[in-house]
Amino acid sequence: MARRIAAGAAYGGGSIGLLGAAAVGVLLAEVQLAKRHVGGGIAPVPPSADGRYGAAFAGPAEPLRLGLLGDSTAAGQGVRRAGQTPGALLASGLAAVSERPVDLRNVAQPGARSDDLERQVSSLLADPCAVPDVCVIMIGANDVTHRIPATQSVRCLATAVRRLRTAGAEVVVGTCPDLGTIEPVYQPLRWLARRVSRQLAAAQTIGAVEQGGRTVSLGDLLGPEFEANPRELFGPDNYHPSAEGYATAAMAVLPTLCAVLGLWPETDRLDGDRCEDMLPVAKAASQAAKEAGTEVTGARAPWALLKHRRRRRLPTATEPHPHPGTSGDTALRKAAPAEAAAESYGESRKEKERRRSSRDLRAN
């Protein structure tokens, strides 16, 4: 199925039905029930995490440039501090491993689908003198929830990876997460969400690897943790990860991010004890979609390396320093909208509680 989706994306084919019409009626009630709970809270506006990380490593070497693209997961929606966002966590970790400063630019947009990657890539490559050394793309969840044809999603992702690679940037794609791990989603909708998510993730892997990128399957990476601690790893809207959830995802992506830049101590040699293998890319993609945290790297076509890199703890989260040439006042002004929105969110909740109390008193 993943190869068929990817092939359809490459040759402009139509969408592939992922669900028989007979099953639609059975799921309608589940969809309506999930809508009442998923997103029922209000996630804070993602804080701006752009800036320089690892300033203490400043030296003769130029800072590494890291770009982040994608949807609300890449933007860090659900947390209030810049240092808790995936971009900040990855930039801090990359700076610690490379012992060089890292300049982060995040163009991810909450609610974005794969067709928004064209705009994001154009924004990131607008300055030819500041092309990122490496980019991380996290996309796919909104494509599933908005029923975007998988072939269209993969085509948009493959085009984005190709443009970034042509510009000279390395690319790591965090594939579609497993939407079956969302707590308020029950069977049989949970089964369907998991199936569609995995099929898209596998097809994304094929599309990205064929364009010279690497992928890391996010899949049900947070599934066991979410089942044990759903209140800790879900954000206030019951959909986006919390700070702990983002840290778990960043720990899975960081080894591949460092490896693609030649910074990770592990090599690309296969470790049989860790079930690493060289497989046809379609089979490697399917296997990776089933096991979160798995890296797929292109080898000699049509083969790919299936890797399970060792994770290491992230350094303590830090807040970004302004980019050189950006004054502290300017950085504060950029952060002000997110802080104001967070304050407004808190005030609006208090106001709603006051109005509700007033109505209850009048009713009595």
Side-chain angles (χ1 to χ4, degrees):
M1 176 64 79
R3 168 56 75 182
R4 288 170 58 200
I5 295 173
Y11 296 105
S15 63
I16 296 174
L18 298 177
L19 177 66
V24 173
V26 179
L27 296 170
L28 286 179
E30 284 293 332
V31 171
Q32 294 304 317
L33 181 61
K35 284 182 177 179
R36 295 177 188 174
H37 295 87
V38 177
I42 302 176
V45 175
S48 174
D50 287 9
R52 177 162 292 183
Y53 294 80
F57 297 115
E62 287 291 318
L64 292 170
R65 289 189 290 269
L66 169 64
L68 220 67
L69 309 89
D71 53 25
S72 53
T73 302
Q77 188 162 12
V79 298
R80 297 184 181 277
R81 289 174 41 217
Q84 298 172 325
T85 62
L89 294 168
L90 290 172
S92 297
L94 184 58
V97 173
S98 65
E99 297 186 345
R100 289 169 61 181
V102 174
D103 287 341
L104 170 67
R105 187 172 175 213
N106 193 333
V107 296
Q109 178 66 40
R113 300 188 286 270
S114 295
D115 57 5
D116 190 53
L117 289 175
E118 180 180 4
R119 179 193 62 81
Q120 295 183 26
V121 171
S122 297
S123 175
L124 205 56
L125 300 181
D127 183 357
C129 297
V131 174
D133 296 295
V134 62
C135 293
V136 175
I137 303 175
M138 297 180 178
I139 200 79
N142 294 312
D143 295 73
V144 173
T145 58
H146 289 78
R147 294 178 294 179
I148 304 299
T151 50
Q152 178 181 333
S153 300
V154 174
R155 189 182 305 121
C156 293
L157 174 62
T159 300
V161 174
R162 182 169 61 250
R163 289 181 63 192
L164 291 169
R165 293 290 292 128
T166 300
E170 299 289 348
V171 180
V172 176
V173 177
T175 55
C176 181
D178 184 354
L179 298 183
T181 61
I182 299 174
E183 188 186 26
V185 177
Y186 303 103
Q187 300 291 7
L189 187 58
R190 182 185 296 272
W191 171 85
L192 174 64
R194 173 164 287 125
R195 180 170 180 261
V196 175
S197 301
R198 287 184 175 181
Q199 286 180 346
L200 178 57
Q204 287 177 320
T205 296
I206 296 173
V209 168
E210 288 181 345
Q211 299 302 324
R214 299 192 186 199
T215 65
V216 177
S217 56
L218 299 182
D220 61 348
L221 182 69
L222 303 177
E225 290 88 347
F226 272 14
E227 291 175 4
N229 303 291
R231 303 303 175 199
E232 293 181 13
L233 294 182
F234 270 124
D237 62 349
N238 299 321
Y239 183 77
H240 295 95
S242 65
E244 291 81 3
Y246 281 126
T248 301
M251 285 176 61
V253 175
L254 180 61
T256 300
L257 183 64
C258 295
V260 78
L261 294 173
L263 302 172
W264 208 244
E266 293 184 53
T267 68
D268 282 336
R269 292 180 181 176
L270 300 175
D271 187 344
D273 294 337
R274 305 179 68 196
C275 299
E276 297 181 343
D277 203 352
M278 180 176 286
L279 302 169
V281 63
K283 188 172 182 179
S286 178
Q287 190 70 26
K290 298 176 184 176
E291 187 172 354
T294 304
E295 174 191 319
V296 178
T297 305
R300 183 177 300 176
W303 301 90
L305 298 176
L306 194 73
K307 296 282 296 179
H308 299 100
R309 296 190 184 274
R310 293 182 176 85
R311 301 179 202 170
R312 288 171 172 78
R313 286 195 171 274
L314 296 169
T316 303
T318 59
E319 300 299 308
H321 292 269
H323 286 296
T326 302
S327 67
D329 290 341
T330 303
L332 288 175
R333 285 197 296 272
K334 287 183 177 179
E339 295 175 359
E343 292 177 3
S344 174
Y345 163 64
E347 289 299 319
S348 64
R349 290 192 65 183
K350 291 178 182 177
E351 186 62 30
K352 288 179 181 177
E353 291 172 1
R354 281 196 293 269
R355 287 198 298 269
R356 189 180 300 112
S357 299
S358 299
R359 286 198 300 269
D360 292 343
L361 288 173
R362 285 197 298 271
N364 294 330

